[in-house]
Amino acid sequence: FIEYQNEFTTEGGKLNDAVKEVMERTKMLENSSRLADICREKGVKVIHAPIVFEKGHHEIANKPYGILAGVKEGGAFENGTWGAEICEAMKPKEGDLVVKGKSGLCGFETTNLDFLLRQNGIKNVVLGGFLTNCCVESTMRSAYEKGYSVYTLKNCCAATSMAAQEAALEHNFGMFSVPTTSDDVVEALA
């Protein structure tokens, strides 16, 4: 579960207004929370991949552009702040794993995600989170190239607009994953 942090998920988060419409229309937070609980009940490992920066965001270039410019300028996802915390609905529980070192867009680059997956014998990766067409897609592409079987949850992701959400689902997800839903995963686990 990628970046289910207060900055995105919760009223008052620095990026919540940008994703609120898509979150509400897709019910992605409710779908994700329900799926995480069912996965735990069925013995499926739940992994959280938060993005975190130190005060001042020195990990990001002095003259950033694109999405990281907004993150740095807005002081988002600063370590030790409420905004960087995983939201209440998705808080890690006993047995969950939390990826360390994510300070970029891909869940694999700069992190211990591949190590966690290999150490736990995981070959199937099911992805959801923020942003659909950014960190979710970047992680999806890397997982695909690393040889994992990748399933991306269409109803557990949010972008900054429905147009961006639908474009990613229609044009990109099927190239690098099996697009699916939380209901399909629950059914497969039954």
Side-chain angles (χ1 to χ4, degrees):
F1 289 106
I2 301 168
E3 297 174 15
Y4 283 80
Q5 292 159 272
N6 288 323
E7 296 290 30
F8 279 130
T9 62
T10 310
E11 190 72 37
K14 293 176 179 171
L15 301 168
N16 180 251
D17 285 343
V19 296
K20 186 186 297 188
E21 177 193 358
V22 177
M23 286 181 66
E24 290 171 356
R25 287 184 61 184
T26 63
K27 298 187 180 351
M28 65 83 68
L29 188 55
E30 298 90 335
N31 294 332
S32 299
S33 180
R34 178 177 162 265
L35 179 59
D37 288 340
I38 291 170
C39 284
R40 291 179 189 107
E41 289 170 15
K42 299 289 186 179
V44 174
K45 187 61 72 181
V46 173
I47 301 176
H48 305 269
I51 189 168
V52 180
F53 299 94
E54 294 305 317
K55 186 173 177 70
H57 292 67
H58 299 292
E59 302 92 336
I60 300 174
N62 287 333
K63 295 181 180 178
Y65 60 94
I67 192 161
L68 291 177
V71 168
K72 184 171 185 166
E73 290 162 10
F77 304 106
E78 187 175 300
N79 193 22
T81 66
W82 170 84
E85 290 176 10
I86 295 174
C87 71
E88 197 58 44
M90 294 296 290
K91 283 270 190 239
K93 297 195 172 141
E94 179 86 26
D96 290 1
L97 298 174
V98 179
V99 172
K100 306 282 190 269
K102 186 172 185 312
S103 59
L105 308 180
C106 176
F108 286 92
E109 202 65 33
T110 76
T111 78
N112 65 340
L113 178 57
D114 193 50
F115 176 80
L116 294 175
L117 294 170
R118 287 184 287 111
Q119 287 297 305
N120 285 276
I122 297 170
K123 299 194 182 324
N124 298 310
V125 177
V126 181
L127 301 172
F130 298 90
L131 294 166
T132 306
N133 55 344
C134 186
C135 297
V136 174
E137 186 173 321
S138 181
T139 304
M140 170 184 57
R141 288 171 181 245
S142 291
Y144 178 81
E145 288 193 88
K146 290 179 180 300
Y148 292 99
S149 295
V150 185
Y151 302 86
T152 311
L153 300 163
K154 299 182 291 185
N155 67 337
C156 295
C157 295
T160 56
S161 70
M162 283 307 297
Q165 176 87 355
E166 290 164 0
L169 299 179
E170 183 179 338
H171 300 291
N172 299 344
F173 274 30
M175 291 178 67
F176 308 103
S177 73
V178 176
T180 191
T181 67
S182 58
D183 292 334
D184 292 339
V185 173
V186 169
E187 186 177 313
L189 293 173

